[in-house]
Amino acid sequence: MKPKRPVKIKTFEQACKFVLKVKTCLIFGSKASDLPSLWDVVDLPGRQPGQPGWGEKVEAVWGWKNELPAQFPDEIFYGKLPGGLAMLMSIEHLREVHYPAHHRKISTCSPLARRAYELIRSEPHTTAELRKALSPSGTLSKSKVDGALVELQVTLNITRSNEPGLKRDTWLPFGEQYPDIGGGEE
């Protein structure tokens, strides 16, 4: 038997096939998880000395995490795993395995997460808009608000909008974007 060739991804199309094949992958690797990561399989050059910007590899991985679910919303999901790790997942795996195992009703979430959810439920919000709305006087730290957003993502109560061309993370109720998976349970 021939040894398995390591996956080397150079294109958006190859990244899509990789996510669908592995069912769940991290965006960037983590010692806290055995899951494969998109970062580890992308074979593009990093930032070269004297070169402006991030380099091809970072730009590709960072862009693909948004573009894959935007271009293939019925096939690929972006979200957070327990522990807050960013991931891409096949919709099939989300529907059949991940959602049933990890969705929690909003009533079980922290008070701050519930407040954030109510704002998002009334209309989509960017992260910056939520920080301002939840703490107009700035008394809540950025990390507290970000923690509430991670909690809502991990419990599959909110998701990032797949609307193509969005420059900032814009949050929607999970059931609004995926009504056939999480049809508006509260």
Side-chain angles (χ1 to χ4, degrees):
M1 190 158 100
K2 289 188 343 189
K4 199 172 181 184
R5 280 188 14 225
V7 177
K8 291 296 176 189
I9 292 173
K10 294 181 182 277
T11 68
F12 179 77
E13 292 75 20
Q14 291 170 329
C16 180
K17 288 177 184 173
F18 173 74
V19 173
L20 295 175
K21 180 180 177 186
V22 300
K23 296 185 173 57
T24 305
C25 71
L26 300 178
I27 307 300
F28 298 100
S30 170
K31 291 179 180 162
S33 174
D34 292 333
L35 287 170
S37 77
L38 190 56
W39 177 261
D40 289 339
V41 297
V42 168
D43 186 23
L44 292 170
R47 185 172 174 265
Q48 303 303 309
Q51 177 188 32
W54 288 347
E56 285 183 62
K57 184 173 182 174
V58 173
E59 286 181 11
V61 172
W62 195 252
W64 294 345
K65 79 172 178 61
N66 295 336
E67 292 169 30
L68 285 164
Q71 288 194 29
F72 303 104
D74 296 331
E75 294 179 62
I76 297 178
F77 169 74
Y78 166 84
K80 298 279 174 98
L81 292 169
L85 295 171
M87 58 84 174
L88 292 167
M89 177 180 290
S90 74
I91 292 291
E92 179 184 1
H93 187 74
L94 173 67
R95 177 183 293 109
E96 294 174 6
V97 177
H98 189 75
Y99 186 88
H102 295 284
H103 171 69
R104 284 191 5 233
K105 291 186 178 201
I106 192 67
S107 61
T108 68
C109 293
S110 69
L112 183 58
R114 291 194 311 264
R115 283 180 45 214
Y117 179 79
E118 288 306 315
L119 291 168
I120 293 165
R121 193 169 78 147
S122 69
E123 67 181 290
H125 280 70
T126 66
T127 302
E129 291 167 342
L130 284 166
R131 284 185 192 125
K132 188 171 184 178
L134 290 168
S135 186
S137 61
T139 54
L140 281 176
S141 70
K142 175 184 177 296
S143 65
K144 288 241 187 253
V145 174
D146 291 351
L149 290 175
V150 168
E151 178 183 0
L152 290 169
Q153 290 174 76
V154 167
T155 59
L156 302 163
N157 283 293
I158 66 168
T159 190
R160 193 183 67 220
S161 172
N162 285 337
E163 190 67 34
L166 286 177
K167 298 293 181 208
R168 293 190 169 88
D169 288 346
T170 301
W171 304 104
L172 305 169
F174 183 91
E176 192 173 302
Q177 186 148 282
Y178 300 103
D180 62 322
I181 298 173
E185 297 174 20
E186 291 179 37

